[in-house]
Amino acid sequence: MDASMLYALRDPLGVPAAPIIFLLLGVLTWALHIAAVHVLLGASSLTLFGSLNKNPHWRRLADAMVSTAKIAVSVAIVLGVAPLLFVQVIYDPFWYTSNVLSAWWVIGFITFLIFGSLLLFIFYGLNSSMKTKPKTRCPGAMLAAIAFFLVVGFIMHALSVQMLKPEKWMEWYAPGGIVDASGRALHAYNFWRFGFFISLSAPVIGLWLIAYRRYLLGRDNEDQSYLAFVRRLAMPLISIGGIIALALYVGWMATLDQNVASFALSFWSIITVAMLLLAVAVPFVLSKKLDSGFWGYAPFAVGAVALIVVGAMREALRWATLYGVHGYNALDYKLHMDWYSTLMFFLTFAAIGGAVLAYLLTVSWKAGQTKGMYVASPMVNRMGTIGISLLAVWIIQYFAIGLWVAYSG
Amino acid sequence: MDLIGLYPTWYEPGIGSGWVIGLIATIHVLFSHTAVGAALLFTYLAYLGYRDDRPELIDFIKKYGLFLLVFSYILGSITGPGIWYSTTVGSPRGISALIHNFVWKWATEWVFFVIEVVGVYMMVYLVGKVDKATYLRIAITFGMASFATMLAIVGILSFMMEPGMPNWAEKGGYLLGFYGDNTFAQLAIRIAFMFTMTAVVGGIVVAGLKDQVFKTWLARRLAVLGIVSTIIGISLYPWYLSTLPAQAQIVMENRIPDYYGTAILTVLLATIAYFAFTLFKPRMLTASIAGLATLSILILGLFPGETIRESARKPFVAGEYLYSNQVIAKDVPGMTVKSEIPTLEKVGFTHASVFWPETQRDITVNNAHEVGRTLAIAACSNCHSLSTTGIRPIAGYFGGITDVSRIKTYLLGALATGNTMYMPKIPLQDKEAEALALYLASLADPTVVARYVEENSKTADAPQKVLPAIDDKKTTSPVARVNVSFPTSGLEE
Ligand code: HEM
C-alpha cells in the first residue's frame, strides 16, 4: 500500500478544524480512557482477590473496590468514546481498514463488553456487603468479568496494531489473491505491547489506593489498622507492578518492526521511561508526607501525567510508523474550517462541562465526606444554578439558530 | 492515478452484516430513548416528591434509577459506540461522512453524555444524602443534559436521510447539513415515542412496587403518559413523512412490504390498548407483562421502524451523495467533494479501487469468475447477500438464469446507466459486467464457470463471446421477462 493509496482513502470532506487539534485531543482523551481502564482492571482484580479472602480488611477493601470498578467501567466507556471519535477524524484510512478486516471481532468487542459489564453488575448485586458477610456469592462472575474485559482490551489492541501495518493489509484482505471478506480474523498483535498497557493497572491501582487512603483520612475516626493495611498493599503494587510494566515496555521496544526500531531510543521513549520511574518513586519519596495536607493525592496526579506521556509516546510511534515509514502525514488533512461548530464545542466543553461538572463533583465529594445529610452552602448552590442556566442557554440557542437556519427562507 | 477511496468490504455470508447492524441499532434506540425519557421523568418525580413531600417518589427514583443504570446507561452507552463500530465495519465511508461533517457536534454531545453519566450515579446514590434543593438541582441538571444529548444527535441522524437544507451541497458547512425540516420533524416524533418507551419500560419497575396505592398512582400516570405520547407520535407521522425527500417517498411506497405499515400501526394500537389496560387495571401489572411489552415494542415496533429508515434512504447511505456501496455519487461543491462516477466510468472498479487484488485488475477468461465475485462483494453486497440467507439475497433477483450474456446485458442496461431508481448507478466496464454476470450466473449453476472458460479459451481473442442460453423461459425474473428490464418495484422481501 503506497502513500497515494493511503491518501486516496481519506474522506474528501476534509476536517472542520486544524488536524493537530484532533491529534492532541485524541492523545489526551486516550490517556484518560486508559487511566480509567487501569482503575477498572485493578479494582476488579482486588475485588476478586478480596472476595476470596477471609481477612476483614480484605473484605472491606473488596466492597470499596467493587463500587469503584462499577463506576470505572462506565467512566472507561465514556472516556473511550472520545478517542474513538478523534481517531476516525485524522486516521480514517487506517482505523476503518483495520476495523473492517476484523469486523467480527469489532462486533465481538461490543458483545464481550456487554457481558463483562453485566457480570460485574451481577457480582455487585449478589454481594452488596462483603464487609459484613463472610461468604462471597459467585466469585466466578467477577473472574469472568475480568476475562471479558481483557478480551475487549485485546481486541482494541489488535485493531491499534493492525492500523500500523498497511503493507500487510492486502495480504490479509485477499490472501493468495482471493478476497476473504469475512472479517473473522485478528491479524496482528504484540503481546509485549498489550502486556505493557495491561500491567500498568498494578501501579495505577496502587496509586489509586494511596489516594483512597487519603480520602478516608479526611473522615473522622477511621480505623487506623485498615489504613495501614491499604498502605501496605499499595506500595508493592506500585513498585513491583511498576518494574514489571517497565520490563514489558523494554520487551515491546525490543520487538518493534525493523523499520521503526530506532524509536526505542527516541526522545518520547526515554521520557516515557523517566516519567514512569518518577511516578513509581513519588509515593516512596513522599512517604510520611502522604498523610499531611493534600499530598496523599499527589502520587495519583503524577501517575496521570505519566499516562499522558505514555499516550504521547504511543502517538509518536504511530507518527514514526505512518509518516516515517509509509509517508502518510495526518496533519496535512484537507481543512474545511467550520467556525460555528468548532467554537460551539469549545464553549460547551469549557463553560457547560466546566461549570456543571465542577458543581456535580463538588456535591459528590462533600456528600461523601459528610456523615449524615449534606446541606449545600449558598456558594455551591450558586454553582448549581449557574450550571442549569448555562444548559438552558444552550438549549435555547440550539432551537433559535436551528429554526432560523431551517425556516428563515 | 485514478484511485477512489473504497475500503475493504465486510461481507458476512451467514446472517449478513445488515442484520447485525440493524440489531445493534434497534437495541440502542430502545436503551437510549428510555434513558432520556426516564431522565426527564425522574426530574419531574423529584420535583413532585420534594414539593409535596412524598418520599415514596424519591424511593422510586432510587429503585428505577438502579435498574435504569444497568439497563440504559451501561447497555446504552455500550451499544451507542456499538453503532459506530458496527456501521464502521458495515459502511466505513458512511460513518466517515457523518464524522467528518459533525465531529464537533458529536464531541459536544459527548460533554453532555459525561454529565449525564455522572448525574445518573448521583441521582441513585445521593438519595437522602443531600438536602432537597440540591437533589432537585442535580435532577434538573441531569434531565437537561440528557435531553441535550438527543438534540445534538438528531440532526446527524437526519443527515443520513438528507442534508438539513437543500443548499448544503452548494454551500457546505455544518449548520446547513444539520438543521432542516426533517431534523425538527424527527426530533418531535422521537420525543413522543421516547416517552412511550419510558412508560413501557417504567412498568417493569412499577410492577414490583409493594405499596398498592402508590403502584396504582404511578401505573396510571405512566399509562396516561404512554397513551398521550403514542397518540402524539402517530399524529406527527404525516409531518415527518412530508419532510422526507421525494426519492424516499417513492422507495417507501414501492419497496417496503405492505405489512410493515400494518405491523407498525398494529403495534401502536396495541401499545395504546396495553396502556389502557394498565390504566384501568394497574394492580394487575406484573414484571413479566411489562417485560413482554418491552420486548414486543422492540421486535414489532422498533425493528421495522429502523428497517424502514434504513431502506428509505436507498440508494444513498448519507447526505444524498454517498451511495450504499460506498461510491460518491454526486459532486458536493460546498465541500469540494467530487463524484467518483466519472472515474469508475473511465477505469472501472478493477482499476480504481485501492483494495483490489493485483491479479484481478486485468480480467481474463480464467479469472473472470473470481473478479465477478470481488465485484459483487464491493459493489453489491452492502445491500444484497450473495448467499441464500441474509438481506435481499441477490440470486433471487435473477430467477435461476444462467445465461451470462443476458445478465450482462441487464447489468449494462439497467445498472451501469443508473436506471434502477432505488439502486446506485454502478458504472461497470464491459468486461466487468461480463465477469459479474458470470459470477451471478454461477450462483444458480456453478458449472457455468467451467463451460464459460472452456468456450472462451477456444476463442481467446474473442472474450466477449458467452455461453448459449440455458432454458430459462419459466423464470419470473425481470431479466428473463424482458431482455433488458428496469424493475422499479416488486421483487423484494
Ligand atoms: C474494559 C474495557 C476496555 C479495555 C480493557 C480497553 C483497553 C484498551 C487498550 C489496552 C488500548 C490500547 C491498545 C494498544 O494501543 O495496543 C485501548 C485503546 C483504545 N480504546 Fe479501549 N478499552 C476498553 C473499552 C473501550 C471502549 C468501550 C471504547 C470506546 C467506546 C474504547 C476505545 C478505545 C480506542 C478508540 C482506542 C484506540 C485509540 C487510538 O488508537 O487512538 N475502549 N483500549
Side-chain angles (χ1 to χ4, degrees), chain A residues 30 33 37 80 84 109 113 149 156-157 193 197 314 318:
Chain A
W30 182 81
H33 163 62
V37 166
L84 178 60
F109 167 87
L113 186 54
F149 293 145
M156 274 300 110
H157 161 73
R193 174 175 173 152
F197 284 131
R314 183 174 172 277
R318 179 146 68 188

Side-chain angles (χ1 to χ4, degrees), chain A residues 72-97:
Chain A
V73 74
S74 287
V75 175
I77 294 168
V78 175
L79 293 177
V81 173
L84 178 60
L85 179 59
F86 299 127
V87 75
Q88 296 176 68
V89 176
I90 54 171
Y91 289 116
D92 45 343
F94 308 90
W95 182 251
Y96 291 140
T97 304

Side-chain angles (χ1 to χ4, degrees), chain A residues 8-9 11 70 74 78 89 104 156 173 177 179 181-182 334 336 338 342 360 373-374 376 381 398 407, chain B residues 5 7 9-12 85 96 100 104 110 121-122 125 129-131 137 151 174 179 181 335-336 360 373:
Chain A
L9 290 170
D11 198 304
K70 200 182 56 181
S74 287
V78 175
V89 176
W104 265 123
M156 274 300 110
Y173 184 48
V179 170
S182 69
K334 181 170 92 183
H336 264 291
D338 189 87
T342 305
L360 293 179
M373 164 104 60
Y374 163 67
N381 282 338
Y398 174 94
Y407 300 109
Chain B
Y7 284 99
T9 308
W10 175 40
Y11 166 65
E12 166 51 45
Y85 276 113
S96 175
H100 286 88
W104 290 129
W110 179 78
Y121 277 103
M122 291 177 71
Y125 289 107
K129 297 205 175 120
V130 295
D131 66 284
R137 275 200 188 82
L151 296 180
Y174 153 85
Y179 287 117
D181 252 356
M335 304 299 285
T336 59
Q360 294 186 26
R373 176 172 165 273

Side-chain angles (χ1 to χ4, degrees), chain A residues 261-272:
Chain A
S262 62
F263 182 83
L265 293 175
S266 67
F267 168 78
W268 282 110
S269 177
I270 288 168
I271 193 153
T272 297

Side-chain angles (χ1 to χ4, degrees), chain A residues 50-193:
Chain A
S51 73
L52 295 174
N53 210 302
K54 295 255 176 313
N55 177 322
H57 288 334
W58 264 113
R59 297 197 73 78
R60 177 172 172 194
L61 185 72
D63 255 351
M65 287 301 115
V66 75
S67 296
T68 306
K70 200 182 56 181
I71 296 181
V73 74
S74 287
V75 175
I77 294 168
V78 175
L79 293 177
V81 173
L84 178 60
L85 179 59
F86 299 127
V87 75
Q88 296 176 68
V89 176
I90 54 171
Y91 289 116
D92 45 343
F94 308 90
W95 182 251
Y96 291 140
T97 304
S98 176
N99 274 257
V100 173
L101 291 177
S102 301
W104 265 123
W105 290 92
V106 171
I107 302 295
F109 167 87
I110 304 157
T111 318
F112 298 146
L113 186 54
I114 290 179
F115 289 161
S117 309
L118 287 182
L119 284 164
L120 173 58
F121 272 81
I122 287 172
F123 178 83
Y124 170 74
L126 288 175
N127 297 283
S128 49
S129 178
M130 286 179 274
K131 189 163 65 176
T132 51
K133 293 186 194 123
K135 204 166 148 30
T136 304
R137 290 159 72 189
C138 199
M142 197 64 225
L143 181 66
I146 296 174
F148 277 119
F149 293 145
L150 288 176
V151 175
V152 164
F154 188 74
I155 296 173
M156 274 300 110
H157 161 73
L159 292 177
S160 302
V161 174
Q162 288 174 189
M163 280 177 81
L164 302 181
K165 300 186 183 286
E167 74 277 12
K168 297 266 178 61
W169 290 347
M170 218 39 232
E171 198 180 309
W172 294 335
Y173 184 48
I178 306 293
V179 170
D180 171 10
S182 69
R184 291 202 182 147
L186 281 179
H187 302 278
Y189 34 81
N190 176 325
F191 278 109
W192 296 100
R193 174 175 173 152

Side-chain angles (χ1 to χ4, degrees), chain B residues 315-327:
Chain B
F316 300 105
V317 73
E320 288 190 307
Y321 78 95
L322 183 68
Y323 277 149
S324 297
N325 66 7
Q326 311 288 294
V327 172

